[in-house]
């Protein structure tokens, strides 16, 4: 029922070959991709977000040193238990992932842009502004 009027793919396809195969498969069922949202956030902003992230492992609550700090540094607001950083929440790991992402994803964006299906979303804005761009 939730997909009655369509569906959202998040992070897929990641390569042009996957995009071509997806289009083939959907075309055989009489449906297709009607819109691709290209969320643009500068890499340095993503690095800042990741480096400042702390989590409460038991609950999954997340905090950020700049954007959503805990009431007591290093402690979960509800339990007082220590917060932790994921081992991959560091600039080096993220920069490597971003490099791979850009290398693989830009050709997919270009593939769908040729079919006029890409909408660029300036995503380094408040959630309400991003939502407005998606809705327009």
């Amino acid at each position: 029922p939730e997909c009655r009027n369509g569906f959202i793919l998040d992070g897929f396809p990641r390569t042009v070959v996957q995009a071509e195969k997806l289009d083939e498969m959907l075309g055989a069922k009489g449906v297709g991709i009607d819109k691709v949202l290209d969320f643009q956030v500068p890499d340095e902003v993503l690095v800042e977000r990741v480096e400042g992230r702390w989590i409460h492992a038991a609950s999954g609550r997340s905090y950020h040193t700049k954007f959503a700090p805990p009431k007591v540094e290093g402690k979960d607001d509800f339990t007082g238990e220590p917060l932790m950083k994921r081992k991959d929440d560091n600039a080096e790991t993220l920069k490597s992932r971003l490099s791979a992402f850009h290398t693989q994803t830009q050709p997919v964006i270009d593939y769908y842009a040729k079919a006029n299906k890409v909408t660029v979303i300036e995503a380094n804005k408040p959630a309400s502004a991003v939502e407005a761009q998606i809705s327009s």
Side-chain angles (χ1 to χ4, degrees), residues 8-98:
I8 296 173
L9 300 174
D10 181 9
F12 180 83
R14 291 182 186 249
T15 67
V16 172
V17 170
Q18 289 176 347
E20 292 168 342
K21 294 293 184 189
L22 176 63
D23 286 349
E24 241 177 72
M25 182 189 75
L26 293 174
K29 298 198 175 284
V31 295
I33 301 294
D34 57 355
K35 187 182 278 192
V36 173
L37 302 179
D38 182 11
F39 291 87
Q40 301 270 317
V41 178
D43 287 358
E44 57 272 10
V45 172
L46 296 173
V47 170
E48 178 185 30
R49 289 180 185 175
V50 164
E51 285 190 311
R53 182 167 52 192
W54 288 85
I55 62 166
H56 178 247
S59 69
R61 280 185 290 275
S62 70
Y63 299 87
H64 192 279
T65 54
K66 180 178 177 182
F67 305 114
K71 294 173 186 165
V72 175
E73 187 176 338
K75 303 284 183 184
D76 178 61
D77 288 350
F78 296 93
T79 66
E81 295 170 341
L83 300 176
M84 62 171 282
K85 286 185 97 40
R86 292 178 15 183
K87 66 179 180 176
D88 59 346
D89 276 356
N90 62 70
E92 183 180 314
T93 300
L94 181 61
K95 287 177 182 177
S96 173
R97 286 183 175 175
L98 286 170

Side-chain angles (χ1 to χ4, degrees), residues 94-109:
L94 181 61
K95 287 177 182 177
S96 173
R97 286 183 175 175
L98 286 170
S99 175
F101 172 79
H102 293 308
T103 299
Q104 290 182 341
T105 303
Q106 191 57 53
V108 175
I109 297 297

